[in-house]
Amino acid sequence: MSTQSKITTHLVEQSAALKNIGRLLVKCSDKPGIVSAVSTFLLQHKANIVESSQYSTDPEGGMFYLRIEFHLDNLLDKKEEFEADFKKIANQHELDYSFSYAVELKRTAIFVSKEPYCLMELLWEWYNGDLNTDIVVVISNHEDARAMVESYGIPFHYIPANKDIRKDVERQQVQLMEEYKVDVLVLARYMQILTPEFVSHFPNQIINIHHSFLPAFIGARPYERAFGRGVKLIGATSHYVTNDLDEGPIIEQDIERVDHRDDIVQLKKIGRTIERRVLARAVKWHLEDRVIVENNKTIVFQ
């Protein structure tokens, strides 16, 4: 089976499996009766809860967060009436909420530079049917990944970038995001700093990955300097991009132990493996509406 045929088959299978699955995210002041009210509403509309997670910062005056995934026959035909009816519950309990529908896949753009390992991980997860999204475009400031990306039938746009032409580059990139109707931007080792103007277009929509030596080894050659210090743990952090460099809300992190036997080459190999899996998990959780951003932190319902 060709690459395109397999991708098409996955998309058809995904649509069939997800067409009647809805998701509800809620945040509000914690008080009695919220779960009961939401569950009763779903029962009255003949929706079956298939997954439910909740969290309270403090049962006495704290914030309450809820994620419910539910099944409802012919959901897309009923969603407008369904959401209109829920407004009564939301107004009564002062809920900040959002609905999403699993079959309406988010449209993802991937930005990459020369190192392809995070891009390859995302493409494999998508190709294998484990990343429920439409990867609609890949943008790079190098040509290295073009052949690989285009072999999947994904458009590839090469836009050279440096600090001297950054505003013009970002103008082109924003135009492409609008053209492809992108919902999520993934920086899969895209080695360019984004300006506040660019970031402001996509609040809580840009996901980045970096090594977790920060802030100890900021800047170039972090693995070499970490090796020189004899570090015992290395890891990776995936987070939403804000105007504070590498300080946005954290979605996922992971680590592995290392020791004096691991040279610089081995440290880099281990680090890349961690980065790949951390970024893939963070993107997957975002796509599945498992992340609620609150100020500069996240609640992640895994």
Side-chain angles (χ1 to χ4, degrees):
M1 182 182 292
S2 69
T3 299
Q4 280 302 104
S5 296
K6 186 170 182 180
I7 291 169
T8 300
T9 299
H10 280 320
L11 291 175
V12 171
E13 291 173 349
Q14 285 175 359
S15 295
L18 301 176
K19 68 177 182 178
N20 291 319
I21 297 295
R23 298 168 185 147
L24 170 62
L25 293 179
V26 171
K27 63 179 179 179
C28 60
S29 297
D30 198 358
K31 57 186 176 183
I34 299 169
V35 174
S36 175
V38 173
S39 301
T40 300
F41 171 85
L42 293 172
L43 174 62
Q44 290 172 342
H45 286 73
K46 299 182 180 180
N48 183 38
I49 295 174
V50 295
E51 185 178 331
S52 180
S53 302
Q54 63 192 65
Y55 168 67
S56 175
T57 60
D58 187 337
E60 296 183 2
M63 289 295 294
F64 180 76
Y65 305 90
L66 173 68
R67 179 188 185 272
I68 288 182
E69 192 166 292
F70 60 91
H71 177 276
L72 178 61
D73 288 336
N74 302 315
L75 176 58
L76 295 183
D77 295 334
K78 301 173 181 177
K79 69 176 186 177
E80 290 186 10
E81 179 182 356
F82 190 82
E83 292 188 29
D85 289 348
F86 189 78
K87 285 183 180 179
K88 303 168 189 176
I89 302 294
N91 291 337
Q92 180 182 350
H93 293 273
E94 299 179 308
L95 308 181
D96 183 357
Y97 71 96
S98 63
F99 280 99
S100 63
Y101 303 93
V103 75
E104 297 177 350
L105 300 182
K106 294 178 176 63
R107 297 171 62 82
T108 297
I110 302 176
F111 285 47
V112 65
S113 290
K114 291 183 70 69
E115 296 181 302
Y117 55 92
C118 285
L119 169 65
M120 292 172 69
E121 183 76 13
L122 295 172
L123 291 176
W124 169 250
E125 291 283 319
W126 174 71
Y127 174 73
N128 203 39
D130 295 324
L131 204 62
N132 291 329
T133 186
D134 285 335
I135 300 178
V136 294
V137 65
V138 172
I139 294 174
S140 180
N141 56 329
H142 296 276
E143 286 277 12
D144 301 53
R146 178 184 290 278
M148 176 175 58
V149 170
E150 291 182 343
S151 72
Y152 287 90
I154 300 170
F156 181 92
H157 289 266
Y158 166 57
I159 305 177
N162 59 59
K163 63 182 181 180
D164 297 324
I165 58 172
R166 185 163 290 152
K167 286 190 176 181
D168 182 59
V169 167
E170 291 190 343
R171 179 185 55 78
Q172 295 178 59
Q173 291 170 340
V174 169
Q175 287 178 347
L176 285 171
M177 296 304 94
E178 294 172 348
E179 177 184 335
Y180 285 99
K181 300 178 181 178
V182 167
D183 301 303
V184 187
L185 287 71
V186 182
L187 307 184
R189 300 295 296 167
Y190 182 65
M191 307 308 290
Q192 293 288 316
I193 295 174
L194 303 178
T195 67
E197 289 77 14
F198 184 90
V199 173
S200 68
H201 282 87
F202 310 102
N204 299 327
Q205 293 174 277
I206 308 174
I207 300 174
N208 192 22
I209 185 70
H210 62 68
H211 64 80
S212 281
F213 294 136
L214 295 173
F217 302 105
I218 295 173
R221 302 175 64 81
Y223 286 98
E224 285 80 357
R225 287 182 290 139
F227 176 76
R229 287 286 304 277
V231 299
K232 300 299 183 281
L233 289 172
I234 63 173
T237 294
S238 185
H239 62 92
Y240 290 113
V241 174
T242 65
N243 289 328
D244 296 318
L245 183 62
D246 291 331
E247 295 184 17
I250 293 170
I251 307 170
E252 172 63 340
Q253 295 177 294
D254 204 353
I255 60 168
E256 284 194 20
R257 294 198 65 84
V258 295
D259 63 26
H260 58 276
R261 300 176 185 85
D262 296 309
D263 60 17
I264 294 171
V265 172
Q266 189 63 22
L267 288 180
K268 289 182 177 180
K269 287 182 178 179
I270 296 170
R272 288 167 181 163
T273 298
I274 307 169
E275 287 178 37
R276 288 184 355 234
R277 67 176 183 245
V278 168
L279 180 60
R281 283 201 295 256
V283 172
K284 181 180 178 67
W285 292 340
H286 177 91
L287 294 171
E288 294 178 354
D289 303 295
R290 296 184 178 276
V291 185
I292 298 176
V293 178
E294 185 68 19
N295 299 319
N296 202 44
K297 65 181 296 185
T298 60
I299 291 85
V300 182
F301 294 117
Q302 301 177 19

